[in-house]
Amino acid sequence: MRRSVFTRLLVVVVLIAVCSIAATAWLATQLTQASIAREQGRELASDNRIYATLLTYSTDHRDWSEVDGYVDSLIREHPGRRIVLVTKDGRTVADLGGDGGQLPAKAAAVVDPLEVDPVLVPGAPADRIDKRVLGPFRTPIDFRDREDPTGALYCLRLNKKERTGLDCRERDLPFDTRADFTALLELEDLVNACLARRQLPPVDLDPDYTPAQKQSTGVQPPDEPAVGACVAASRKEQLTPYVAQPVLLYLTNPTGTPTAAISLSGNGWRVVGAAAAVLLVAVGVAAFAGARITRPLRALTAAATHMSGGGDIPPVPVRGQDEIAGLTRAFNTMAANRAQLEQARKAMVSDVAHELRTPLSNIRGWLEAAEDGVHDLDPALITLLLKEALVLQHVVDDLQDLAVAEAGSLRLTLERVNVVTTLEQVQAAHEARATQAGVTLSVTADPALFVRADALRLRQVLDNLVANAVRYVPAGGTVAVEGTSEDGDCVITVSDTGPGIAADDLPHVFDRFWRADKSRSRSTGGSGLGLAIVRKLVEAHGGTVGVSSTTGVGTTFRVRLPELT
């Protein structure tokens, strides 16, 4: 079963709507997520800088008493952020950049140089102790002297462990080296106390806090993970007095409301619901628009079907100014033109039948009379039959010329034609008939006036116009033919002083088989095709022909052709 235009249109609109909605939703989601990610990235970078600044403060200070100045500078550097520092026992150290509103349930980070957040500080040491915290040491771990060329350090270690009382000449050592080794010995005491609690043997530490046995003898110390845990715990115990105590860092907006992370992953059904609602609206609009579009199309289809059956149809109603309304107007115009053409066709068939019926009836009548012996087949009868045959031939020739001209198949032999010469030939051809009818025929033209035309067809045009004028002008009247140059064109006028043509008849002068006097006989009126042939011949030359007339005064035909200079 074939689907209707409305169904196909609705399907197309639905598919377009679905694809558009899906693409728009996906694009909006991607752009929103990217925008949120950028915004969160900027906030995260800002928060990281705040954390890093406060962490630096905590490594350089033993308490938070001077932190307000640092926090105030951070607020100016990162406007729109509220910074709150709270100790683990709930005491507020600093609260700047906000109105003192409620804090989030979870802190953004813990500022503790002995427990550095590896997420906020990429590359943090494995024991999470900030390398900048030296405590009792004088030099960073990477710059401590690990050599003992004089044995002084070994002597100091031996005196400490066995209390030998040896003179280790430690005064000859650099102050920083002596201080660093003293701090290392203190750390060993803390580590060995931790190991003793775990029932593990003591160890000696190198300046990098690794067990000395491992590097000196290559022997793996017992339970190395336990030793590493005691070293990390002992280091934190040793360094705690030299840094600020840990605090909770809260980062919010100035009102205290925490910044919620936005995620679109849980809103899938909302997106689907919104898309479905938009789709329903699109389908409804498509159905309404489709009905409005297909209603006039169905009316046009019904009218075209009725027209194909040969019936006359009333005009299809036109609604609006859109393309379909334009199509409807064009269809109505086509239907009206078709009706006029059909009426003209019927009239032409009737006219042709009428024009041929009379001479054929005359010929048949005379022949039947001769056959029945009523009239002798003498030369006079033959002359009458020949005259009627010539009338038939004239009608047929005129119809053939008109058909060729209307089909655009008329062949013209264009050449340079002198207008005055052509007019003089026309005058010579019609002078005798004009004199016989008591009509004065005159021609005038500029000798230098030329046109590019087919000389025989131009004669045919002028012969028709002059013959008609002479035929209708009463005795004592005049027919004047004049050739002039006007606006770059050659204008040939044929004017007569005949009875004129009524204003209502002027639009029909060039119609086929038209006669001003419907009762006029063929012997005086010709075939009724002459002026129709004149118009087609003039148009074939790229010109125009018109007529003006005043009843009781006369008629003027104007032929305008391109002038040849």
Side-chain angles (χ1 to χ4, degrees):
M1 179 179 179
R2 294 187 304 173
R3 291 183 295 181
S4 65
V5 174
F6 175 74
T7 303
R8 292 197 295 270
L9 177 63
L10 187 59
V11 170
V12 171
V13 171
V14 170
L15 289 177
I16 294 175
V18 170
C19 295
S20 300
I21 293 170
T24 303
W26 179 84
L27 183 60
T29 301
Q30 296 300 314
L31 292 177
T32 303
Q33 288 180 334
S35 177
I36 293 173
R38 286 194 298 270
E39 185 63 27
Q40 290 179 339
R42 285 193 292 267
E43 289 191 0
L44 182 60
S46 174
D47 294 350
N48 285 352
R49 288 193 293 272
I50 293 174
Y51 173 82
T53 301
L54 295 176
L55 185 64
T56 300
Y57 174 90
S58 68
T59 61
D60 297 337
H61 298 76
R62 300 192 178 192
D63 56 43
W64 297 96
S65 59
E66 300 176 4
V67 76
D68 284 350
Y70 285 80
V71 175
D72 187 60
S73 63
L74 288 173
I75 293 297
R76 290 194 298 271
E77 183 181 353
H78 306 282
R81 302 295 284 165
R82 177 189 176 192
I83 302 176
V84 182
L85 299 176
V86 180
T87 62
K88 291 187 176 180
D89 58 5
R91 181 175 58 87
T92 301
V93 174
D95 186 355
L96 297 176
D99 57 1
Q102 183 181 1
L103 294 176
K106 184 178 179 181
V110 178
V111 183
D112 184 0
L114 305 182
E115 287 288 341
V116 175
D117 191 337
V119 176
L120 300 177
V121 182
D127 57 7
R128 298 176 62 182
I129 298 176
D130 195 315
K131 290 184 178 181
R132 295 173 295 179
V133 180
L134 300 180
F137 293 90
R138 300 291 298 180
T139 58
I141 186 173
D142 295 333
F143 299 95
R144 294 172 192 167
D145 189 3
R146 302 190 184 194
E147 301 295 331
D148 187 15
T150 63
L153 298 179
Y154 176 77
C155 179
L156 289 174
R157 186 188 298 278
L158 190 62
N159 276 344
K160 184 176 183 301
K161 293 176 64 176
E162 299 181 4
R163 302 184 184 276
T164 59
L166 296 175
D167 183 8
C168 298
R169 302 184 64 83
E170 65 271 16
R171 291 181 301 277
D172 295 338
L173 295 171
F175 177 78
D176 290 345
T177 301
R178 187 170 67 249
D180 287 345
F181 191 73
T182 301
L184 183 63
L185 294 179
E186 293 176 357
L187 178 61
E188 280 185 0
D189 292 340
L190 295 175
V191 171
N192 289 330
C194 174
L195 292 174
R197 289 192 295 271
R198 299 189 181 194
Q199 298 181 352
L200 295 174
V203 295
D204 292 341
L205 298 179
D206 279 338
D208 61 355
Y209 311 131
T210 58
Q213 294 91 334
K214 181 177 181 180
Q215 296 194 13
S216 61
T217 65
V219 178
Q220 184 76 7
D223 200 356
E224 184 174 357
V227 173
C230 283
V231 170
S234 299
R235 287 194 63 211
K236 292 177 182 179
E237 182 181 354
Q238 184 185 30
L239 299 175
T240 296
Y242 297 93
V243 297
Q245 63 176 320
V247 293
L248 302 176
L249 172 62
Y250 293 91
L251 297 173
T252 66
N253 58 39
T255 61
T257 304
T259 303
I262 300 176
S263 175
L264 299 179
S265 59
N267 297 328
W269 288 111
R270 294 185 180 180
V271 174
V272 172
V278 174
L279 180 60
L280 289 177
V281 172
V283 171
V285 172
F288 177 74
R292 288 183 60 86
I293 292 173
T294 55
R295 187 182 300 114
L297 291 178
R298 286 195 295 267
L300 286 174
T301 302
T305 302
H306 186 71
M307 180 187 294
S308 65
D312 295 332
I313 60 171
V316 180
V318 179
R319 298 182 178 87
Q321 297 295 327
D322 54 11
E323 290 81 0
I324 295 181
L327 174 62
T328 305
R329 283 190 290 269
F331 179 84
N332 289 337
T333 302
M334 179 190 70
N337 291 339
R338 175 186 173 275
Q340 293 177 357
L341 291 175
E342 181 64 17
Q343 184 178 2
R345 184 187 66 83
K346 293 178 180 179
M348 179 180 177
V349 171
S350 176
D351 290 339
V352 170
H354 176 73
E355 294 297 328
L356 297 179
R357 183 182 297 113
T358 301
L360 286 175
S361 298
N362 292 336
I363 293 174
R364 177 183 176 183
W366 288 111
L367 290 176
E368 287 179 349
E371 183 181 21
D372 294 339
V374 177
H375 196 287
D376 295 332
L377 193 59
D378 53 13
L381 179 57
I382 294 176
T383 301
L384 289 175
L385 294 176
L386 180 60
K387 181 178 178 181
E388 295 298 333
L390 290 175
V391 171
L392 287 174
Q393 183 66 46
H394 179 62
V395 173
V396 172
D397 290 343
D398 285 349
L399 285 172
Q400 183 178 9
D401 288 345
L402 185 60
V404 172
E406 289 181 341
S409 303
L410 189 64
R411 294 184 179 180
L412 299 177
T413 304
L414 299 178
E415 57 184 341
R416 183 182 178 89
V417 177
N418 185 273
V419 175
V420 68
T421 301
T422 302
L423 295 186
E424 289 175 350
Q425 294 173 357
V426 171
Q427 182 181 22
H430 296 273
E431 183 71 36
R433 185 175 179 182
T435 302
Q436 183 180 1
V439 176
T440 301
L441 175 60
S442 63
V443 296
T444 57
D446 183 356
L449 186 60
F450 289 84
V451 295
R452 185 172 179 80
D454 186 315
L456 293 178
R457 295 299 184 181
L458 182 58
R459 275 288 310 274
Q460 186 177 357
V461 169
L462 297 177
D463 285 341
N464 274 325
L465 294 178
V466 172
N468 281 343
V470 172
R471 183 182 300 119
Y472 298 140
V473 173
T478 61
V479 174
V481 184
E482 182 180 6
T484 59
S485 178
E486 181 179 310
D487 297 332
D489 291 335
C490 171
V491 178
I492 302 175
T493 60
V494 179
S495 304
D496 63 59
T497 58
I501 304 172
D504 295 339
D505 292 331
L506 282 177
H508 307 287
V509 166
F510 296 100
D511 292 347
R512 288 168 293 193
F513 300 109
W514 177 85
R515 291 190 181 93
D517 184 4
K518 305 302 181 182
S519 62
R520 192 176 65 244
S521 67
R522 187 176 301 100
S523 60
T524 60
S527 66
L529 297 172
L531 293 180
I533 294 174
V534 165
R535 180 176 63 179
K536 291 299 179 182
L537 292 178
V538 172
E539 291 176 351
H541 282 82
T544 59
V545 60
V547 60
S548 60
S549 181
T550 303
T551 305
V553 177
T555 303
T556 299
F557 285 87
R558 292 170 58 86
V559 176
R560 180 181 291 270
L561 297 173
E563 181 180 353
L564 184 62
T565 58

